[in-house]
């Protein structure tokens, strides 16, 4: 297994467009997290899944943000009607159970122009 | 609620000098604590973790950290800095029913020749 994989690594989009990011967790990891990281800050929690169930989504930044994890495998994070303030690194992480460390992907850097 | 405070956004040391990065946490229940390292445009890599048991934890690349419950601290140290240690370091806490990792704002370690 090669770790958590995120696609794309970079995305440039025009303001108002929709974007979707994909995350493939480590096989058999039932927990999957999404974080956002802006310059000079630590990762900011957005949402997480336990298998296919989204257990916390109140921290998603607005109703323009949504995430799915069909069948409890890969996950997607969608941002609708992007704004310049959405420009950031979006990080995905997975873990086998709840009280172990999270393993991070390399992130997707979003630039909204 | 849980939170992490990292004292000092930047720490500068000479090569061969002691590295000390400070982390204080807040948690209403016994926490799990982590240190991660991030290189530019990369995801986060786990350095070390404390879950239960021995309070002095050794990690990769010669780093170690000590969990001090009375001081609510989990400071990261390395006896001798190397140029390759220059990176961003994040402390994280995970506790409570959901065990969602919460990160500090990070400390940038600068190593001078």
């Amino acid at each position: 297994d090669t770790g958590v994989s995120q696609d794309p690594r970079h995305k440039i989009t025009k303001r108002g467009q929709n974007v979707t990011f994909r995350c493939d967790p480590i096989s058999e990891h039932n927990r999957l997290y999404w974080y956002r990281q802006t310059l000079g800050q630590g990762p900011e929690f957005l949402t997480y899944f336990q298998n296919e169930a989204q257990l916390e989504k109140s921290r998603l930044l607005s109703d323009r943000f949504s995430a799915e994890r069909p069948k409890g495998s890969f996950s997607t994070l969608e941002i609708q009607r992007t704004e310049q303030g959405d420009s950031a690194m979006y990080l995905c992480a997975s873990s086998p159970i709840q009280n172990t460390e999270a393993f991070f992907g390399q992130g997707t850097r979003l630039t909204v122009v | 609620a849980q939170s992490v405070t990292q004292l000092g956004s930047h720490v500068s040391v000479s090569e061969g000098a002691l590295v000390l990065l400070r982390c204080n946490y807040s948690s209403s229940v016994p926490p799990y604590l982590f240190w991660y390292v991030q290189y530019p445009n990369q995801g986060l890599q786990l350095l070390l973790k404390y879950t239960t048991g021995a309070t002095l934890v050794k990690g990769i690349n010669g780093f170690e950290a000590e969990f001090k419950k009375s001081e609510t601290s989990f400071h990261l140290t390395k006896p001798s800095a190397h140029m390759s240690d220059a990176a961003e370091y994040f402390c994280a806490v995970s506790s409570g029913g959901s065990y969602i990792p919460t990160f500090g704002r990070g400390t940038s370690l600068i190593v001078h020749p």
Side-chain angles (χ1 to χ4, degrees):
Chain A
D1 190 278
T2 57
V4 177
S5 176
Q6 292 189 244
D7 183 69
R9 290 290 311 278
H10 303 274
K11 178 71 176 178
I12 300 174
T13 191
K14 293 183 178 180
R15 189 174 51 189
Q17 296 295 304
N18 299 343
V19 294
T20 300
F21 309 141
R22 177 181 171 120
C23 173
D24 287 272
I26 294 172
S27 297
E28 299 180 356
H29 278 195
N30 55 16
R31 273 211 165 190
L32 186 149
Y33 305 90
W34 283 100
Y35 287 84
R36 183 181 80 155
Q37 186 178 25
T38 53
L39 195 62
Q41 301 294 317
E44 175 188 13
F45 171 74
L46 296 178
T47 188
Y48 86 103
F49 295 83
Q50 182 100 354
N51 300 312
E52 67 273 13
Q54 189 174 14
L55 299 185
E56 174 60 68
K57 57 182 179 180
S58 66
R59 305 276 285 277
L60 285 167
L61 301 167
S62 77
D63 58 7
R64 298 184 295 106
F65 287 71
S66 63
E68 294 183 342
R69 192 184 183 193
K71 304 178 183 178
S73 56
F74 72 92
S75 176
T76 58
L77 177 70
E78 181 181 17
I79 308 174
Q80 295 183 329
R81 306 181 302 282
T82 52
E83 302 173 356
Q84 287 190 320
D86 298 331
S87 296
M89 176 79 89
Y90 291 84
L91 295 166
C92 176
S94 68
S95 67
I97 55 177
Q98 64 186 22
N99 57 348
T100 60
E101 70 269 26
F103 294 80
F104 281 82
Q106 292 192 311
T108 294
R109 180 166 295 284
L110 173 67
T111 302
V112 181
V113 297
Chain B
Q2 59 189 26
S3 65
V4 170
T5 301
Q6 290 186 241
L7 298 176
S9 59
H10 294 83
V11 169
S12 182
V13 300
S14 298
E15 191 173 20
L18 171 72
V19 175
L20 171 60
L21 305 182
R22 300 179 185 274
C23 172
N24 288 89
Y25 70 90
S26 173
S27 174
S28 57
V29 297
Y32 298 110
L33 295 160
F34 310 89
W35 276 100
Y36 285 83
V37 62
Q38 186 179 34
Y39 298 99
N41 295 312
Q42 299 293 318
L44 279 69
Q45 178 185 3
L46 182 72
L47 280 176
L48 49 78
K49 64 180 179 181
Y50 168 80
T51 53
T52 58
T55 56
L56 182 61
V57 179
K58 295 186 183 299
I60 62 172
N61 301 337
F63 285 94
E64 62 182 38
E66 186 171 10
F67 170 59
K68 292 187 176 181
K69 183 178 178 180
S70 62
E71 298 177 8
T72 61
S73 69
F74 190 58
H75 301 329
L76 181 70
T77 61
K78 181 174 180 177
S80 177
H82 192 273
M83 295 295 291
S84 61
D85 294 327
E88 194 80 16
Y89 291 81
F90 295 95
C91 182
V93 62
S94 171
S95 65
S98 62
Y99 288 94
I100 300 170
T102 297
F103 288 82
R105 295 181 65 174
T107 298
S108 178
L109 177 64
I110 302 161
V111 182
H112 297 288

